[in-house]
Amino acid sequence: MRRISVFGATGSIGESTFDLLMRQGGPEAYHTVALTGGRNVARLAAMARALRAEVAVTAYDDCLPALRAALAGSGIAVAAGEAALIEAADRPADWIMSAIVGAAGLAPGFHALRHGTTLALANKESLVTAGPLLMAEAAKHGARILPVDSEHSAVFQALVGEDIAEVERIIITASGGAFRDWPMERLARASVAEASSHPNWDMGQRITIDSASMFNKALEVIETREYFGIAPEKIEVLVHPESLVHALVGFADGALMAHLGAPDMRHAIGYALNWPRRDPLPVARLDLAAIGALSFRAPDPARYPALRLAYEVMALGGTAGAAFNAAKEAALDGFIAGEIGFLQMAAVVEAVLAEMSSRQGLGNGALSLDNVMQTDAEARALARVVMGQQRTVA
Ligand code: NDP
Ligand code: MG
């Protein structure tokens, strides 16, 4: 029986993964090694019972008593904390879903690769902060990383049987997020609730807000570079409000291979789960005649400074990705907490990058998990200082 684990099982990607696992036979078809979550202990316990997991892990120590109580008598082991997440990743499995949100997802995924497992990677932050390390670790242990982000799954699928050396460009699409049609003046006053509703995709709150600011697409540009090893100047972003074309790959002969599908993450998750087969998936089939038209436009650089920052980060290299992601996460925390406005997020990230690259040269030095973590901590601390200064000025 195939052994599987799901990290971030209680999140949006985790729920979709669970849904597919249950539809594909659940505990009769899969041996579930570990399921992990955060504060949603009741849901984690229910999933662990349904899949008869070996162990359920919450990221938070204070959630352990509730998890233990919820799983009493089930025979399922329980654990809590960062070290327990790593231990869960060290339990051999054939397929592991990496769907924790944020930089917290890096270490468990990194550990899982040591067992030559297949890592289905939704946690894009892993590639943004430590792409070269992750890819090298996978190569070293004969492990495979399969992309789960919809755009990257689309590119991966368009590249089946193709030679990456013949790729001229990769175009990833962006819906434009919640505010794509808002006048710029209104953006400064956009509320958390307004930023948390996506026109096409149903996702976790953080990635939904990152879609409105295009920080999500900025992370995905870097993710494209790291995963496919393609030069930054060959990566393009195209606004496509319908979210039906997920990505396009342009080849040396001028051909463009596009991937289309309903905006449902179960496609990309299912592709990674069943790969290299294509098994039936419960996603809507597109009726293109009913849809009629698809539209595309170039992203407005003034509206989406995050995209420019992504290219600056790629030019810097080294730990710049870790600083960028951590500053973004801290700025997002600040926005959600009502401490800074929507447009200030990009300003905070830009200030952190400028300060850190002048201070220590973010592009320098060998990349290691330790200096990624250290850069992450420094960027978060600096972002909080910058946000404090911005509040004082305002
Ligand atoms: P959610 O916020 O919905 O879920 C996050 C999961 O991680 C939950 O299980 C949560 O637990 C857990 N978690 C939160 N904080 C921590 C922590 N510090 N340590 C360990 N676990 C933690 O996120 P999404 O499912 O939306 O996104 C997950 C990842 O997938 C992200 O990297 C995102 O960018 C990527 N992704 C998501 C897409 C989507 O459609 N949602 C599309 C493409 C990529 P709990 O809820 O129990 O507290
Ligand atoms: Mg995506």
Side-chain angles (χ1 to χ4, degrees), residues 10 37-42 58-63:
T10 50
R39 302 225 162 264
N40 195 349
V41 167
T58 162
Y60 307 108
D61 291 328
D62 58 310
C63 292

Side-chain angles (χ1 to χ4, degrees), residues 332-382:
L332 179 58
D333 291 337
F335 175 64
I336 292 173
E339 292 165 8
I340 60 169
F342 181 75
L343 292 177
Q344 277 172 290
M345 286 191 284
V348 168
V349 174
E350 183 153 21
V352 169
L353 283 175
E355 171 69 21
M356 285 183 75
S357 53
S358 70
R359 225 196 254 174
Q360 71 227 48
L362 282 170
N364 305 332
L367 202 59
S368 69
L369 215 47
D370 280 348
N371 59 28
V372 164
M373 301 294 195
Q374 197 184 330
T375 303
D376 178 286
E378 279 173 36
R380 277 173 212 269
L382 191 53

Side-chain angles (χ1 to χ4, degrees), residues 41-46 48-49 56 58 61-80:
V41 167
R43 186 64 187 137
L44 178 62
R49 281 181 189 270
T58 162
D61 291 328
D62 58 310
C63 292
L64 184 58
L67 183 61
R68 181 173 289 127
L71 284 172
S74 67
I76 298 167
V78 293

Side-chain angles (χ1 to χ4, degrees), residues 171-355:
I171 305 170
I172 58 174
T173 59
S175 67
F179 304 141
R180 62 190 176 209
D181 300 318
W182 282 34
M184 281 292 281
E185 320 77 73
R186 236 183 110 191
L187 286 183
R189 288 173 278 114
S191 73
V192 174
E194 287 165 332
S196 302
S197 107
H198 196 283
N200 307 335
W201 295 90
D202 179 13
M203 308 185 287
Q205 185 193 34
R206 298 181 73 87
I207 184 174
T208 302
I209 299 174
D210 283 349
S211 296
S213 63
M214 279 281 191
F215 267 111
N216 179 49
K217 212 50 56 179
L219 298 179
E220 289 181 359
V221 166
I222 303 173
E223 186 186 5
T224 304
R225 153 144 190 81
E226 298 300 341
Y227 189 83
F228 299 101
I230 190 168
E233 60 273 18
K234 292 183 172 177
I235 307 169
E236 300 170 25
V237 173
L238 192 59
V239 174
H240 167 48
E242 295 88 356
S243 292
L244 299 176
V245 178
H246 304 307
L248 305 98
V249 179
F251 292 92
D253 59 359
L256 270 180
M257 301 291 280
H259 181 285
L260 283 81
D264 182 337
M265 285 308 295
R266 291 178 305 175
H267 172 75
I269 297 166
Y271 185 78
L273 180 62
N274 301 325
W275 181 90
R277 293 193 317 272
R278 279 190 186 274
D279 290 349
L281 291 172
V283 297
R285 272 44 179 179
L286 295 186
D287 178 348
L288 289 173
I291 292 161
L294 298 173
S295 55
F296 302 95
R297 58 180 189 248
D300 173 1
R303 181 179 286 266
Y304 301 120
L307 289 180
R308 170 179 49 82
L309 294 177
Y311 289 88
E312 290 176 14
V313 164
M314 289 188 288
L316 284 167
T319 50
F324 179 61
N325 179 68
K328 189 281 294 176
E329 288 192 27
L332 179 58
D333 291 337
F335 175 64
I336 292 173
E339 292 165 8
I340 60 169
F342 181 75
L343 292 177
Q344 277 172 290
M345 286 191 284
V348 168
V349 174
E350 183 153 21
V352 169
L353 283 175
E355 171 69 21

